[in-house]
Amino acid sequence: MTTTRVEIESIVKPMSVIETVRRRRSIGKMTEQVPTRAQIEEILEAATHAPNHHRTEPWKFIVLAGEARTELGLVMQEALLSSLGDIPLTQVQARLEKERLKPLRAPVIITVVSEFPRNDEALDIENVEATAAAVQNMLLVAEELGLAVMWRTGDAAYNDQVKRWLGVETEDHIVAFLYVGYPAIPRLERRATPLSQKTTWYGWEE
């Protein structure tokens, strides 16, 4: 397997956390090359170190590859069709076909789930926030590994039929479908809005 430029750079000089954060981009177009199981496990391991209130560790992961992606696409297509009501099939055929093919855009999909609290201490929103932090850890480690990742949700993430197929409880939340693979396009440049436009300071003296 050919070593990527990112992997070569990391061997010569490992990126600091802030460098990885600044470098990371969502990349939606990927090759058919499948990441190794060790790489996926490293991404999942990073997720488990995210902060979580009351030590709930509310995240669960469902990894889909190969034909499982095709099966997910069919379920997503059926769920979309059910939600469209009485619209003639001929008017939505292209949309249904697009939905079916979505999971095939990447060789691996990691479904990241936040469990609904099963005790009185934890709050649902805190579990979702913790799971979102876990997803961010996953994005950063994938960047260090030279992988492409796209964080997706959409109607399928909130659909009970899709949840049932994945073995997810109705009250639980699919926080992310992480599409994972190797980049097929260059990393796009992006300029973040300056923090001065997003920050208010109170009581700060310097």
Side-chain angles (χ1 to χ4, degrees), residues 30-184:
M30 305 173 193
T31 69
E32 296 181 358
Q33 182 180 349
V34 183
T36 66
R37 178 160 177 157
Q39 288 175 315
I40 298 301
E41 288 179 343
E42 190 168 351
I43 292 170
L44 297 174
E45 169 71 18
T48 66
H49 294 283
N52 55 103
H53 202 198
H54 300 296
R55 299 182 182 178
T56 55
E57 297 182 308
W59 40 72
K60 292 195 303 185
F61 312 104
I62 304 159
V63 183
L64 304 173
E67 287 303 310
R69 299 169 303 143
T70 302
E71 295 173 21
L72 174 61
L74 291 172
V75 174
M76 290 168 57
Q77 182 184 58
E78 184 178 339
L80 175 59
L81 179 61
S82 299
S83 71
L84 294 176
D86 297 328
I87 300 176
L89 187 60
T90 54
Q91 295 182 15
V92 295
Q93 193 65 50
R95 184 177 171 187
L96 290 170
E97 182 66 4
K98 181 179 179 180
E99 190 73 8
R100 182 182 70 82
L101 294 175
K102 281 181 178 179
L104 301 181
R105 294 180 294 190
V108 177
I109 299 174
I110 305 175
T111 305
V112 186
V113 178
S114 173
E115 293 185 311
F116 190 84
R118 268 67 176 184
N119 58 62
D120 295 333
E121 282 190 321
L123 297 177
D124 188 32
I125 189 172
E126 292 176 340
N127 279 4
V128 172
E129 290 165 345
T131 305
V135 172
Q136 178 69 354
N137 282 3
M138 298 168 79
L139 297 177
L140 296 178
V141 169
E143 176 67 30
E144 287 192 325
L145 294 173
L147 297 174
V149 181
M150 178 66 78
W151 182 347
R152 301 185 185 273
T153 50
D155 292 341
Y158 315 115
N159 184 276
D160 289 344
Q161 187 173 347
V162 174
K163 286 183 178 181
R164 283 195 299 272
W165 184 83
L166 289 166
V168 176
E169 299 293 334
T170 300
E171 64 269 25
D172 293 346
H173 305 283
I174 295 177
V175 174
F177 290 117
L178 286 187
Y179 286 58
V180 186
Y182 284 90

